[in-house]
Amino acid sequence: HRLTLLADLRRGLAAQDLELRFQPMIDLRSGRVAKVEAMLRWRRDDGTQLPLEFLELAEQSGLIQPLTRWMLGEAARAASILRDAGHEVVVSTDLSMRNLIDPDLLAFVTLLVTSGELQTDLVEIEVGEIELMDDPVRSRETLAALADLGLRFALDDFGTGYTSLSTM
């Protein structure tokens, strides 16, 4: 099953059978949409696959890098489209631990920023607490380099791992 799913995922990535869906995050004081979180979906003949069903396999196989590159590019395009339509909304997207240790990530993001495809005031990167703790030194280096490009970050799933109250 996993080998079939992996082969299908490779084909789906090549055919761009992927889409982003956006979950709004509301500023409770103003009632306005403050940002939207980009959620990856994979369209298959048998229905839409949620990330829970394929991201672990993508990370184990190395497909997470091209998936992330696609997602960052699409999130940047969506953010520009929203701004052009008059919506001042930040688009948030996730990075995994594999992304944080990917030696080519910085070059890819730098290209997006310098080409104008990614406007750093419109895109926010979310990183999970657990991902940060897997290799804190490398994670910090990568995040510092991305921050030097002007990107902003949010801590995702805070309290579900190392700082969880349930572990105290």
Side-chain angles (χ1 to χ4, degrees):
H1 173 72
R2 289 173 55 85
L3 288 175
T4 301
L5 188 63
L6 181 58
D8 288 350
L9 183 55
R10 285 185 198 282
R11 280 192 295 277
L13 180 58
Q16 299 217 352
D17 290 337
L18 305 168
E19 66 183 33
L20 292 183
R21 297 200 181 154
F22 299 95
Q23 177 177 324
M25 298 184 166
I26 309 298
D27 179 329
L28 294 176
R29 282 182 233 124
S30 68
R32 297 180 53 158
V33 175
K35 67 180 178 179
V36 294
E37 184 173 0
M39 313 291 262
L40 179 63
R41 299 295 184 262
W42 172 25
R43 294 182 311 270
R44 297 185 66 192
D45 292 338
D46 60 347
T48 300
Q49 298 281 175
L50 300 174
L52 182 63
E53 300 165 355
F54 64 88
L55 276 186
E56 182 179 342
L57 184 60
E59 286 194 357
Q60 293 169 352
S61 69
L63 279 179
I64 195 66
Q65 282 85 0
L67 277 173
T68 299
R69 284 167 177 69
W70 180 88
M71 192 166 171
L72 281 170
E74 289 300 307
R77 277 187 275 292
S80 293
I81 289 168
L82 286 167
R83 175 174 274 176
D84 292 347
H87 304 288
E88 294 293 323
V89 176
V90 170
V91 175
S92 176
T93 186
D94 292 325
L95 287 183
S96 75
M97 182 56 206
R98 296 270 191 233
N99 298 132
L100 293 175
I101 62 172
D102 175 5
D104 300 324
L105 177 70
L106 183 59
F108 176 75
V109 174
T110 299
L111 178 64
L112 285 178
V113 171
T114 57
S115 69
E117 287 183 59
L118 190 154
Q119 298 173 42
T120 58
D121 62 326
L122 298 180
V123 176
E124 178 180 86
I125 304 295
E126 288 191 14
V127 181
E129 172 191 7
I130 292 171
E131 283 82 6
L132 289 175
M133 296 310 293
D134 279 349
D135 188 343
V137 173
R138 187 98 179 253
S139 297
R140 186 173 189 272
E141 290 170 358
T142 300
L143 294 176
L146 292 172
D148 287 345
L149 291 172
L151 285 167
R152 297 181 303 177
F153 302 94
L155 190 57
D156 196 16
D157 300 327
F158 181 74
T160 61
Y162 290 91
T163 59
S164 174
L165 293 176
S166 66
T167 61
M168 297 180 153

